[in-house]
Amino acid sequence: MSEELPCQLYLISPLETGGDFPNQLRAALSVAPVAAFQFRVKGLDQHQAADLAAPLQEICAEFETAFIVNDDVALAKRLKADGVHLGQGDMPITEARAILGNDIQIGVTCHDSRHLAMEAGEAGADYVAFGAFYPTQTKNVSHVADIEVLKKWSLIMEVPCVAIGGINPDNAGPLVDAGADFIAVSGAVWNDPKGPDNAVKRFAKLFAQ
């Protein structure tokens, strides 16, 4: 991603993606461009996960939003996903790349560490994710990132960076200004009382400033 491009939205699914969720996803993607959608479910076998993923992947393709699988390299390969996101305890990047090939995006959680991010970049990561920047209810947080990590990374490194953790339209501005290429959001969109499309519109307005 070049520096001229504005910050973009990276949506992360709630843990429950059945029921009415496909309609919520369609509503979110239909109002403004969304760079990526991460499919993040826990405790399901691969067949169950693939069944849930299928309609969501179709919606993402319709809106030209990259479909990213969280953690599971085998599922990403099965779905022919656009990308996979790896945590520090997941499969090494080089191994994932050997399985998935060069055309798939690989992102890596790097917490609050530029050192981990540099290692990920050297190993071939397409993006690195820093966080959590704010308190979040979406997952247990053991690392709190300082905004300076975004500023320093964006100044010296070309690998795009994602800011994650408790971000909403009201507190995202400083992270955008600090150089985040993507803002990753879950609860602030899916739990918006006016609907996910409202939250996406608010982010889009912020990114356009």
Side-chain angles (χ1 to χ4, degrees):
M1 176 180 295
S2 69
E3 293 182 5
E4 288 77 22
L5 288 175
C7 189
Q8 299 180 73
L9 192 60
Y10 182 133
L11 293 182
I12 299 176
S13 77
L15 293 178
E16 297 292 333
T17 60
D20 187 56
F21 182 73
N23 291 329
Q24 295 181 50
L25 178 60
R26 180 177 293 279
L29 301 188
S30 65
V31 292
V34 173
F37 169 77
Q38 185 186 122
F39 179 66
R40 178 177 178 266
V41 296
K42 303 290 183 181
L44 301 178
D45 66 37
Q46 194 180 103
H47 297 295
Q48 291 173 310
D51 286 344
L52 283 174
L56 308 181
Q57 192 172 7
E58 288 182 10
I59 293 168
C60 286
E62 180 182 340
F63 290 97
E64 299 183 347
T65 296
F67 185 84
I68 312 291
V69 171
N70 183 63
D71 291 348
D72 194 333
V73 171
L75 180 61
K77 184 176 179 66
R78 172 175 175 164
L79 294 174
K80 296 183 173 63
D82 299 304
V84 67
H85 185 87
L86 303 174
Q88 286 296 317
D90 294 327
M91 182 183 293
I93 298 170
T94 51
E95 190 175 337
R97 182 69 73 193
I99 293 170
L100 297 172
N102 293 324
D103 294 333
I104 196 166
Q105 300 176 54
I106 298 179
V108 181
T109 294
C110 297
H111 303 304
D112 56 347
S113 172
R114 279 193 298 150
H115 175 71
L116 289 177
M118 287 179 180
E119 287 186 336
E122 290 170 0
D126 295 290
Y127 70 84
V128 296
F130 294 115
F133 287 94
Y134 304 115
T136 174
Q137 302 299 316
T138 302
K139 62 189 297 187
N140 294 326
V141 172
S142 55
H143 299 270
V144 177
D146 189 280
I147 197 168
E148 288 299 316
V149 74
L150 292 175
K151 292 179 180 178
K152 291 176 180 177
W153 183 264
S154 63
L155 282 175
I156 63 172
M157 303 299 292
E158 292 185 0
V159 177
C161 63
V162 177
I164 190 171
I167 304 171
N168 60 52
D170 295 320
N171 63 22
L175 305 177
V176 176
D177 293 341
D181 296 291
F182 301 91
I183 296 293
V185 184
S186 185
V189 168
W190 311 122
N191 300 331
D192 188 303
K194 295 182 179 179
D197 52 331
N198 179 67
V200 171
K201 285 178 184 176
R202 292 184 65 198
F203 276 111
K205 184 177 180 180
L206 174 67
F207 298 158
Q209 291 177 356

